[in-house]
Amino acid sequence: MPPGTPTGHSPRNRFGPDHHAPAGRLGSSLEATDVLVLADRLFRWADARDWAGPDPYDGLTGPLGRLAVHRVLRQVVLQAVKRSRIDLRPVLGIHPLRTATAAGTAAGACARLSASPVWRERALRLGRSAADEQLSGRYAGLWRYEFDVQTRWAYYPASVPNLVATTFCADGCLDTGTLGDKAVRSLAHGLLEHLHNGEFFTYTPASDVLVHNANLMGAALAARLARTGTLPGELTDRLVGAARGAVEVSLDGQRPDGSWPYGRGPRLGWVDGFHTGYVLLRLEQAGTLLDVDVRRPLERGVDHYLRHLFEGPLPRYFADGGSRRDPNNDATAVRMAAWAAHHGFVRADFPRAVLAAVVDRYPGLGVDTRAGGSLRNRSLWESPRWSAAPLLDALTALHAVLPGGRHHSAPVAAQPTTAAS
């Protein structure tokens, strides 16, 4: 039964692919060991490059980008580099980046496989790398992007932390145990002091814009920190209070159709796949850690996500839009399909079909990737932060729910989602 075909009030067991995985790439009989092989290939490909490469938002790191002092000019340069059919980075003097966010995301992904000594060593190495980038000074305890960013709603330079980088890095470090007690306390204080405005968690210290995925990332991270057992009682209570309030703010922002807009504001009303995935994962994690019942809004959100952000097994970028291919959106779709199958929202073969539908463009996997033969946006698919790390996260999560994986026999129940998606 394809997504979008209701059979009852609850979305559980309603959705699944309308066909099997395409032949000749990945079969519908995909097992956990097959996914593990793909994960190993992807890790080796990225690790051989020291997790350095292009980024969709690195356009302002070159000489031309540094000369763009006006918002419109920054947007033009950044979008031109991001969307160009050919890679403009060598011409513009933009060099490969190694980001803490990619290291943190990949560390959490590897940690799922830490029963293996090889994967445990990989997780620890990446976790330590992310931990080394934790900020000191004014924004102690937080993390940043290594490049300036200009979006349609905000500008934040590389010197300023942001909540998304902080969450992905913090989760990777917590998953691998590479943050000491002092660093955890610094993170908790920094999160409350610089990325919480008294009502919700903000994307950057200077922003008052409500961005739902970032707000729920902050809520989930605050709730997780409160559960560490290493923080003073007063600080723990502040974290729990901030997290509960932030969850309520985003629950109030859910639309009647079950969706969440990207943010609150006249220019932030769009709905896309990977940000919706972030919202659902972090809402579940925060609800579980805070003992808050979010089942109904979560089910409504999953219902909308599966109906409007998939076309068969192929993920859509925007709700009810066309199939615009993007490595982060595709990887998050695999991650979400695995999560949805684990919780009974989709049939067991759906995540396999999603993986088969999207895997063709990721380099390094040895599955006849078109990225190796096409120059169109090739650099986007070679991005450690935007492509390799999210897909590695998705693959290790999928491995856990397939036959032979860690969670295959586990009951369907809300589980904290600790690794970045």
Side-chain angles (χ1 to χ4, degrees):
M1 186 177 302
T5 306
T7 61
H9 182 68
S10 170
R12 287 187 180 275
N13 299 312
R14 183 188 304 169
F15 302 96
D18 50 4
H19 55 76
H20 291 294
R25 285 186 287 165
L26 295 173
S28 59
S29 61
L30 190 69
E31 300 285 343
T33 51
D34 302 317
V35 174
L36 194 61
V37 169
L38 291 178
D40 183 67
R41 288 176 184 167
L42 183 62
F43 180 92
R44 290 176 183 274
W45 180 89
D47 206 50
R49 290 155 179 79
D50 195 28
W51 293 88
D55 192 277
Y57 294 93
D58 62 5
L60 301 180
T61 62
L64 182 60
R66 290 191 288 271
L67 292 175
V69 295
H70 188 274
R71 175 181 62 84
V72 175
L73 292 176
R74 288 195 293 263
Q75 283 184 302
V76 168
V77 173
L78 193 149
Q79 292 299 322
V81 173
K82 179 182 179 182
R83 297 178 181 275
S84 175
R85 289 176 176 267
I86 61 173
D87 188 5
L88 298 176
R89 291 170 180 83
V91 177
L92 298 178
I94 298 171
H95 301 292
L97 284 174
R98 192 178 194 278
T99 68
T101 306
T105 304
C110 294
R112 290 197 184 97
L113 304 173
S114 58
S116 158
V118 171
W119 284 100
R120 183 165 61 250
E121 183 278 328
R122 293 170 173 178
L124 288 172
R125 175 158 52 87
L126 288 167
R128 293 183 186 115
S129 175
D132 287 344
E133 299 301 319
Q134 191 179 28
L135 295 176
S136 57
R138 179 182 180 184
Y139 296 117
L142 306 177
W143 281 265
R144 64 185 181 94
Y145 288 150
E146 290 77 1
F147 42 83
D148 297 352
V149 176
Q150 176 69 65
T151 69
R152 68 183 74 183
W153 59 273
Y155 168 71
Y156 44 101
S159 58
V160 172
N162 70 78
L163 190 50
V164 174
T166 293
T167 300
F168 286 177
C169 291
D171 272 345
C173 292
L174 292 170
D175 289 345
T176 55
T178 51
L179 283 185
D181 290 350
K182 183 177 179 181
V184 170
R185 286 194 299 273
S186 180
L187 169 59
H189 282 294
L191 184 66
L192 292 173
E193 181 178 352
H194 298 295
L195 295 174
H196 188 259
N197 66 1
E199 181 187 4
F200 56 83
F201 289 93
T202 61
Y203 206 106
T204 67
S207 174
D208 280 326
V209 177
L210 172 61
V211 175
H212 287 294
N213 75 90
N215 178 48
L216 288 170
M217 285 183 185
L221 178 57
R224 185 176 187 184
L225 291 171
R227 287 287 193 97
T228 60
T230 63
L231 300 175
E234 182 270 338
L235 181 55
T236 297
D237 291 344
R238 288 175 59 201
L239 288 166
V240 170
R244 286 179 175 273
V247 168
E248 290 300 321
V249 168
S250 281
L251 288 179
D252 289 344
Q254 189 177 27
R255 289 170 170 168
D257 65 0
S259 68
W260 277 270
Y262 175 77
R264 185 167 65 190
R267 296 187 295 167
L268 304 177
W270 77 87
V271 178
D272 67 61
F274 70 95
H275 287 119
T276 298
Y278 294 168
V279 166
L280 294 171
L281 288 173
R282 300 301 173 165
L283 177 60
E284 184 209 19
Q285 181 187 13
T288 300
L289 294 173
L290 296 169
D291 196 25
V292 173
D293 186 358
V294 297
R295 287 174 297 179
R296 182 59 186 140
L298 194 67
E299 287 189 349
R300 290 174 55 226
V302 173
D303 192 346
H304 183 276
Y305 176 70
L306 293 169
R307 284 177 181 274
H308 299 281
L309 285 154
F310 281 93
E311 184 177 353
L314 191 65
R316 293 185 172 114
Y317 192 91
F318 292 112
D320 295 321
S323 302
R324 170 180 152 192
R325 300 297 304 278
D326 175 272
N328 193 17
N329 191 60
D330 285 1
T332 303
V334 176
R335 174 71 181 90
M336 290 303 298
W339 174 85
H342 180 56
H343 294 303
F345 290 116
V346 295
R347 295 199 303 261
D349 57 346
F350 185 56
R352 303 170 184 175
V354 175
L355 177 61
V358 305
V359 75
D360 57 314
R361 294 195 182 185
Y362 291 93
L365 292 182
V367 286
D368 192 26
T369 58
R370 283 180 289 172
S374 172
L375 292 178
R376 179 175 173 80
N377 286 333
R378 178 174 177 176
S379 59
L380 190 67
W381 296 84
E382 294 179 344
S383 168
R385 184 182 72 92
W386 202 252
S387 178
L391 184 62
L392 184 65
D393 179 64
L395 289 171
T396 61
L398 177 57
H399 170 269
V401 303
L402 288 175
R406 181 166 52 93
H407 294 319
H408 181 59
S409 61
V412 173
Q415 300 290 334
T417 304
T418 56
S421 325

